[in-house]
Amino acid sequence: MTTSDPTHALRLTVVNDYTGATDWNTRLTLFDGHGGRVGGGDAPLTLSLPRGIYTVRPERLGEIGPDQTILHERAQELTLPAPRRHSAMPSLDSAHTHEFLQAASTHFSRAPSWENPDAPGDAPLLMVLVRATGDGDHSDVDPAEGLAILDDTGSVVTRFEPDRTARNAAEGWVAFSAHLPPGNYLLGHFRGGRAMALPLLLTRKRWDTMVFVPHERGARLSAASIDMCPRGQGYDPGDLLAQQIDAAIQGLGMRLDLLPEDLRLSAIYGKFEHPLLGLIGAHAHFLGPRRQERLERAVLHNLWRLLEGAPDVVALLLMADEREPEGMPATLDELNARAEAAFGETLDARLPLRFPPLLRGGLDALVRASLRLPELIAPGSWLEAAANASSAEGPWSTWEQPGLLPGLFADVPPVVVVRPTPQKLYPAIKRAIARESPRAARTIIADDRLGDLLDDPSARMPGILGRVARDMPEVQLPPMPEVSAPDRVRDLVQRLREEAPLSVTVGTAAPASAMIPDDSLPEWLVTLVRERQDAEGADFDPVAVARMANVPLSTVRRAVE
């Protein structure tokens, strides 16, 4: 190929292979046969290139798709699939989405699975959807096993009891959805006498919170996705902003800024209304070398308006101060003065801090601040427990600790799949069909076509299923199955067997307090302190140890004592 070779137009379009819709958020990069970059841009993309072999690489919201080799000999148009994100959120652009997960998320983000009698009238809604990954029948797995939601005192809100959740065993999902008082909550996964905890926040303003947790041999809280939406609006699997925020949150877990430039600018200028967009934009801003105090103050003021009192916003204030010549505050008076300048009020009523922020970057910032301000973090609090035992996987402030009370799940009845046998279903269905047909039940056989038995099978199904439900009350029948005239009786029986949800019983009340913050000293830290004391003697510096170990200074001082 030389500079005199004629060029031909190459037009590249990208589609979402799940929906078939054109995707406008994929960036394409083209390389020649030697690996040199010859062009790129947002799809759809048109380039004029000489004949040759090229490689195109798609990237969408941080997800890089497989390279595709193109033989380019004449003008042509090609369509490429958009890269699918790996996310617990069942959005239209994720790799492991399903229509049933989208339907469940959409429904239960608007309609509670449990009517909480203690919720105030304007309480926000919290939805937690736990879903198995992969295809196939998941009836042998309970995705919510060992899960519980706790309030900030450690008291149980739900252990995902059958009467407070909706679930589908074959599809492998469990949903808890309820209106709860605004405040801080924990989603805990209890197993083997230990608990993994994920902090959650329900805002006092008009925002609902949705949490999506993947289940892979256990609930993976560190891989959860969290979304917020205006009160009552509900989850939308096609919402591009939710997809962009979800991708950017995952990027923060790898210390990458994946927020699109237009959203990042909106966030750092404080011109946002979505709380998570403001949080992610501010953290993405701090990943880079930019130093723009005025923009950071605008973010802080707007975030405090949306998330008043949230430890994430206090952490961002400290991160902003960290970039100033004087650094983070050294006294509570200095911290309050800076908070009043940024938020319009002091933090007096909120200090010391007791609950961890959502994002790990915020937790790390609070730990760094405690090196100068040890009284920032309350002893024996959830925040101290998270700081001393944080798990470094993922973007969230997840941590593992002991603290499971004996018998927490002992009185929760196991979820057992009730698969009605054909021997039970056939007689019930035959009797129900006979009430809608001139045929007697004893003359109906498995190979009879529904169209021969019923004048309009689809129209007759509600009455048939109603009679089967009364005949077999132990089985909760699925939504109306699609039937047609050629379907046989055996087809209807099989569909009802495959799609029948669980038959469940109701558990009893949980212990009032299920978990308390772990205030024990990590053994590795005690060992480290002893080794440094022996090696350094009078020159031992607890601040240096706290900084190296990434724990609060107060924890190191306790280890010294």
Side-chain angles (χ1 to χ4, degrees):
M1 165 170 55
T2 69
T3 55
S4 62
D5 288 339
T7 60
H8 304 281
L10 173 63
R11 179 171 175 80
L12 298 172
T13 303
V14 176
V15 300
N16 182 318
D17 59 359
Y18 179 75
T19 65
T22 300
D23 185 88
W24 305 90
N25 296 279
T26 297
R27 184 168 183 82
L28 303 174
T29 305
L30 269 78
F31 305 90
D32 61 21
H34 302 287
R37 186 181 184 280
V38 295
D42 295 333
L45 176 66
T46 301
L47 297 172
S48 185
L49 299 171
R51 292 187 304 167
I53 296 177
Y54 297 90
T55 298
V56 59
R57 179 174 300 163
E59 182 271 332
R60 184 184 187 278
L61 300 182
E63 191 72 35
I64 299 177
D67 291 352
Q68 181 167 327
T69 301
I70 298 173
L71 176 61
H72 183 57
E73 295 182 309
R74 61 185 182 279
Q76 59 179 326
E77 295 186 12
L78 297 176
T79 300
L80 308 175
R84 303 284 291 278
R85 295 187 307 109
H86 290 79
S87 171
M89 184 180 292
S91 56
L92 297 183
D93 72 330
S94 62
H96 300 293
T97 191
H98 291 284
E99 289 184 358
F100 54 80
L101 292 174
Q102 297 164 14
S105 302
T106 301
H107 176 77
F108 291 108
S109 62
R110 294 172 171 83
S113 65
W114 172 55
E115 293 292 347
N116 180 9
D118 299 323
D122 60 345
L125 183 135
L126 171 65
M127 182 195 77
V128 178
L129 179 84
V130 194
R131 41 78 59 94
T133 57
D135 299 323
D137 191 318
H138 299 282
S139 298
D140 58 342
V141 173
D142 177 11
E145 182 180 5
L147 282 176
I149 297 175
L150 317 173
D151 64 19
D152 59 359
T153 69
S155 299
V156 172
V157 174
T158 181
R159 294 167 294 167
F160 289 76
E161 298 93 339
D163 63 324
R164 296 191 178 188
T165 57
R167 60 184 69 214
N168 187 298
E171 295 171 353
W173 59 266
V174 177
F176 169 80
S177 174
H179 292 282
L180 301 175
N184 296 306
Y185 293 85
L186 293 172
L187 177 59
H189 183 218
F190 299 87
R191 183 164 56 180
R194 297 191 65 81
M196 181 68 76
L198 169 69
L200 301 174
L201 172 66
L202 293 187
T203 73
R204 300 182 185 280
K205 304 298 181 182
R206 301 193 62 81
W207 290 85
D208 294 332
T209 299
M210 294 147 290
V211 185
F212 304 91
V213 181
H215 183 281
E216 298 170 0
R217 298 186 297 275
R220 292 187 57 209
L221 301 187
S222 61
S225 292
I226 297 179
D227 190 20
M228 289 183 174
C229 66
R231 190 73 50 85
Q233 178 175 299
Y235 174 70
D236 177 4
D239 183 3
L240 175 61
L241 178 59
Q243 298 169 18
Q244 292 170 322
I245 291 176
D246 183 42
I249 291 173
Q250 294 186 45
L252 289 181
M254 300 177 284
R255 294 194 61 79
L256 296 175
D257 178 4
L258 299 182
L259 200 63
E261 183 67 10
D262 59 332
L263 295 182
R264 189 183 65 79
L265 290 175
S266 295
I268 65 172
Y269 278 93
K271 298 178 179 178
F272 56 87
E273 289 298 325
H274 197 296
L276 286 181
L277 175 57
L279 282 179
I280 304 311
H283 278 271
H285 175 67
F286 287 127
L287 284 176
R290 298 174 294 271
R291 183 177 181 278
Q292 302 169 2
E293 179 188 1
R294 180 179 61 84
L295 304 183
E296 292 164 4
R297 295 298 179 185
V299 171
L300 295 171
H301 181 78
N302 198 11
L303 274 175
W304 192 258
R305 177 178 62 85
L306 294 171
L307 301 171
E308 182 178 348
D312 282 273
V313 188
V314 178
L316 286 173
L317 170 65
L318 293 166
M319 292 170 72
D321 287 341
E322 195 172 23
R323 292 193 166 196
E324 299 304 311
E326 60 272 20
M328 290 184 172
T331 67
L332 290 181
D333 287 342
E334 189 178 345
L335 173 60
N336 276 321
R338 298 185 188 184
E340 189 165 21
F343 307 145
E345 62 178 282
T346 70
L347 298 176
D348 267 332
R350 309 178 192 279
L351 295 175
L353 300 178
R354 309 193 62 85
F355 204 81
L358 294 176
L359 294 171
R360 177 162 307 282
L363 176 60
D364 291 341
L366 293 179
V367 171
R368 291 196 303 273
S370 75
L371 301 183
R372 299 188 69 184
L373 196 61
E375 59 269 39
L376 176 68
I377 297 175
S381 65
W382 296 116
L383 175 52
E384 184 184 56
N388 289 338
S390 59
S391 169
E393 182 184 5
W396 309 113
S397 296
T398 53
W399 78 93
E400 187 181 27
Q401 68 156 73
L404 172 63
L405 289 186
L408 175 61
F409 293 97
D411 58 344
V412 177
V415 176
V416 180
V417 178
V418 176
R419 293 284 185 208
T421 63
Q423 290 79 6
K424 288 188 175 182
L425 262 181
Y426 270 119
I429 289 177
K430 287 179 181 180
R431 288 192 294 270
I433 290 177
R435 296 293 298 271
E436 304 280 339
S437 166
R439 293 271 296 272
R442 66 179 181 277
T443 67
I444 298 174
I445 63 174
D447 283 329
D448 279 337
R449 298 181 185 274
L450 296 180
D452 296 335
L453 299 171
L454 305 166
D455 53 0
D456 188 345
S458 295
R460 297 289 185 176
M461 273 303 108
I464 291 173
L465 292 185
R467 290 186 176 88
V468 172
R470 289 191 293 272
D471 209 6
M472 302 181 67
E474 73 276 13
V475 177
Q476 181 184 352
L477 293 176
M480 195 67 57
E482 292 185 6
V483 295
S484 60
D487 289 337
R488 301 178 186 275
V489 173
R490 69 168 69 251
D491 299 325
L492 177 59
V493 170
Q494 185 62 24
R495 288 174 193 169
L496 294 183
R497 289 197 69 228
E498 290 177 350
E499 300 176 11
L502 304 174
S503 176
V504 295
T505 54
V506 177
T508 56
S513 182
M515 189 169 74
I516 59 175
D518 178 26
D519 61 357
S520 62
L521 290 171
E523 292 185 8
W524 62 266
L525 179 62
V526 174
T527 301
L528 175 63
V529 167
R530 289 173 180 170
E531 291 176 350
R532 295 296 294 266
Q533 283 180 312
D534 291 342
E536 299 173 4
D539 294 327
F540 173 75
D541 183 1
V543 175
V545 174
R547 182 178 294 109
M548 177 177 62
N550 194 35
V551 297
L553 177 59
S554 58
T555 302
V556 174
R557 288 177 174 173
R558 286 172 53 208
V560 171
E561 297 168 359

